[in-house]
Short mmCIF file of all heavy atoms in Angstrom, two decimals:
data_model
loop_
_atom_site.label_atom_id
_atom_site.label_comp_id
_atom_site.label_asym_id
_atom_site.label_seq_id
_atom_site.Cartn_x
_atom_site.Cartn_y
_atom_site.Cartn_z
N LEU K 295 -31.39 15.09 37.07
CA LEU K 295 -31.64 14.80 35.66
C LEU K 295 -30.94 15.81 34.77
O LEU K 295 -30.33 15.45 33.76
CB LEU K 295 -33.15 14.82 35.39
CG LEU K 295 -33.57 14.65 33.91
CD1 LEU K 295 -33.09 13.30 33.38
CD2 LEU K 295 -35.07 14.81 33.76
N GLU K 296 -31.00 17.09 35.15
CA GLU K 296 -30.33 18.12 34.35
C GLU K 296 -28.83 17.90 34.29
O GLU K 296 -28.20 18.08 33.24
CB GLU K 296 -30.64 19.51 34.94
CG GLU K 296 -32.08 19.96 34.73
CD GLU K 296 -32.39 21.24 35.48
OE1 GLU K 296 -31.48 21.75 36.18
OE2 GLU K 296 -33.53 21.72 35.39
N ASP K 297 -28.25 17.47 35.41
CA ASP K 297 -26.81 17.19 35.43
C ASP K 297 -26.47 16.04 34.49
O ASP K 297 -25.46 16.08 33.77
CB ASP K 297 -26.36 16.86 36.85
CG ASP K 297 -26.39 18.07 37.77
OD1 ASP K 297 -26.40 19.20 37.25
OD2 ASP K 297 -26.40 17.88 39.01
N ARG K 298 -27.30 15.00 34.50
CA ARG K 298 -27.07 13.86 33.61
C ARG K 298 -27.20 14.28 32.15
O ARG K 298 -26.45 13.84 31.28
CB ARG K 298 -28.03 12.72 33.92
CG ARG K 298 -27.80 12.03 35.24
CD ARG K 298 -28.41 10.62 35.24
NE ARG K 298 -29.82 10.63 34.88
CZ ARG K 298 -30.82 10.74 35.74
NH1 ARG K 298 -30.55 10.87 37.05
NH2 ARG K 298 -32.08 10.72 35.34
N GLN K 299 -28.18 15.15 31.87
CA GLN K 299 -28.39 15.60 30.50
C GLN K 299 -27.21 16.44 30.01
O GLN K 299 -26.80 16.32 28.85
CB GLN K 299 -29.70 16.38 30.41
CG GLN K 299 -30.94 15.51 30.57
CD GLN K 299 -32.23 16.32 30.67
OE1 GLN K 299 -32.19 17.52 30.94
NE2 GLN K 299 -33.35 15.67 30.45
N LYS K 300 -26.68 17.29 30.88
CA LYS K 300 -25.51 18.09 30.51
C LYS K 300 -24.31 17.19 30.25
O LYS K 300 -23.54 17.41 29.30
CB LYS K 300 -25.19 19.10 31.62
CG LYS K 300 -26.19 20.24 31.74
CD LYS K 300 -25.82 21.16 32.90
CE LYS K 300 -26.83 22.28 33.04
NZ LYS K 300 -26.53 23.16 34.21
N SER K 301 -24.14 16.19 31.09
CA SER K 301 -23.03 15.25 30.91
C SER K 301 -23.17 14.49 29.59
O SER K 301 -22.20 14.28 28.87
CB SER K 301 -22.98 14.28 32.09
OG SER K 301 -21.92 13.36 31.94
N ARG K 302 -24.39 14.11 29.27
CA ARG K 302 -24.64 13.39 28.00
C ARG K 302 -24.33 14.29 26.81
O ARG K 302 -23.71 13.85 25.84
CB ARG K 302 -26.09 12.93 27.95
CG ARG K 302 -26.46 12.19 26.67
CD ARG K 302 -27.84 11.58 26.78
NE ARG K 302 -28.87 12.57 27.05
CZ ARG K 302 -30.04 12.29 27.61
NH1 ARG K 302 -30.32 11.06 27.99
NH2 ARG K 302 -30.94 13.24 27.79
N ALA K 303 -24.76 15.56 26.87
CA ALA K 303 -24.48 16.49 25.78
C ALA K 303 -22.98 16.70 25.61
O ALA K 303 -22.47 16.78 24.48
CB ALA K 303 -25.18 17.82 26.04
N THR K 304 -22.27 16.80 26.73
CA THR K 304 -20.81 16.96 26.66
C THR K 304 -20.16 15.74 26.02
O THR K 304 -19.24 15.86 25.20
CB THR K 304 -20.23 17.17 28.08
OG1 THR K 304 -20.82 18.33 28.65
CG2 THR K 304 -18.72 17.34 28.03
N ARG K 305 -20.65 14.55 26.37
CA ARG K 305 -20.11 13.32 25.78
C ARG K 305 -20.36 13.29 24.27
O ARG K 305 -19.46 12.95 23.49
CB ARG K 305 -20.74 12.11 26.46
CG ARG K 305 -20.53 10.77 25.77
CD ARG K 305 -19.08 10.45 25.54
NE ARG K 305 -18.33 10.34 26.78
CZ ARG K 305 -17.03 10.10 26.85
NH1 ARG K 305 -16.34 9.99 25.74
NH2 ARG K 305 -16.42 10.02 28.00
N ILE K 306 -21.55 13.63 23.84
CA ILE K 306 -21.86 13.61 22.41
C ILE K 306 -21.01 14.63 21.66
O ILE K 306 -20.49 14.36 20.58
CB ILE K 306 -23.37 13.87 22.18
CG1 ILE K 306 -24.19 12.71 22.75
CG2 ILE K 306 -23.66 14.04 20.69
CD1 ILE K 306 -25.69 12.96 22.71
N LYS K 307 -20.86 15.81 22.26
CA LYS K 307 -20.03 16.84 21.64
C LYS K 307 -18.59 16.36 21.52
O LYS K 307 -17.95 16.51 20.47
CB LYS K 307 -20.09 18.12 22.48
CG LYS K 307 -19.15 19.23 22.00
CD LYS K 307 -19.22 20.43 22.94
CE LYS K 307 -18.19 21.49 22.56
NZ LYS K 307 -18.25 22.65 23.47
N ARG K 308 -18.07 15.75 22.59
CA ARG K 308 -16.70 15.25 22.57
C ARG K 308 -16.54 14.13 21.54
O ARG K 308 -15.54 14.09 20.81
CB ARG K 308 -16.31 14.75 23.96
CG ARG K 308 -14.87 14.27 24.04
CD ARG K 308 -14.53 13.77 25.43
NE ARG K 308 -14.53 14.83 26.41
CZ ARG K 308 -14.31 14.64 27.71
NH1 ARG K 308 -14.09 13.41 28.17
NH2 ARG K 308 -14.31 15.66 28.55
N ASP K 309 -17.52 13.24 21.47
CA ASP K 309 -17.45 12.15 20.50
C ASP K 309 -17.48 12.69 19.06
O ASP K 309 -16.79 12.18 18.18
CB ASP K 309 -18.60 11.17 20.70
CG ASP K 309 -18.43 10.33 21.96
OD1 ASP K 309 -17.31 10.33 22.52
OD2 ASP K 309 -19.40 9.68 22.38
N SER K 310 -18.29 13.72 18.84
CA SER K 310 -18.36 14.32 17.51
C SER K 310 -17.03 14.95 17.12
O SER K 310 -16.55 14.78 15.99
CB SER K 310 -19.47 15.38 17.49
OG SER K 310 -19.51 16.04 16.23
N LEU K 311 -16.42 15.68 18.06
CA LEU K 311 -15.11 16.27 17.80
C LEU K 311 -14.06 15.20 17.55
O LEU K 311 -13.23 15.31 16.64
CB LEU K 311 -14.69 17.14 18.99
CG LEU K 311 -15.18 18.58 19.01
CD1 LEU K 311 -14.79 19.26 20.32
CD2 LEU K 311 -14.62 19.37 17.83
N ASP K 312 -14.11 14.15 18.34
CA ASP K 312 -13.12 13.08 18.20
C ASP K 312 -13.25 12.41 16.84
O ASP K 312 -12.25 12.06 16.21
CB ASP K 312 -13.28 12.06 19.32
CG ASP K 312 -12.09 11.13 19.42
OD1 ASP K 312 -10.98 11.63 19.68
OD2 ASP K 312 -12.26 9.92 19.22
N SER K 313 -14.48 12.24 16.38
CA SER K 313 -14.69 11.65 15.06
C SER K 313 -14.07 12.52 13.97
O SER K 313 -13.44 12.02 13.03
CB SER K 313 -16.19 11.47 14.81
OG SER K 313 -16.43 10.96 13.52
N ALA K 314 -14.24 13.84 14.10
CA ALA K 314 -13.64 14.76 13.13
C ALA K 314 -12.13 14.70 13.17
O ALA K 314 -11.45 14.72 12.13
CB ALA K 314 -14.13 16.18 13.39
N LEU K 315 -11.56 14.60 14.37
CA LEU K 315 -10.11 14.54 14.50
C LEU K 315 -9.56 13.26 13.87
O LEU K 315 -8.49 13.27 13.24
CB LEU K 315 -9.71 14.62 15.97
CG LEU K 315 -10.07 15.93 16.70
CD1 LEU K 315 -9.55 15.90 18.13
CD2 LEU K 315 -9.51 17.14 15.96
N LEU K 316 -10.29 12.17 14.02
CA LEU K 316 -9.84 10.92 13.40
C LEU K 316 -9.91 11.00 11.88
O LEU K 316 -9.10 10.38 11.18
CB LEU K 316 -10.69 9.76 13.92
CG LEU K 316 -10.45 9.39 15.40
CD1 LEU K 316 -11.40 8.28 15.83
CD2 LEU K 316 -9.00 8.95 15.61
#
Side-chain angles (χ1 to χ4, degrees):
L295 175 61
E296 290 172 359
D297 290 341
R298 291 202 305 270
Q299 290 172 343
K300 289 178 181 177
S301 180
R302 179 171 59 203
T304 301
R305 167 56 62 182
I306 294 174
K307 175 183 174 180
R308 182 181 293 178
D309 288 347
S310 176
L311 274 174
D312 194 61
S313 177
L315 296 183
L316 290 176

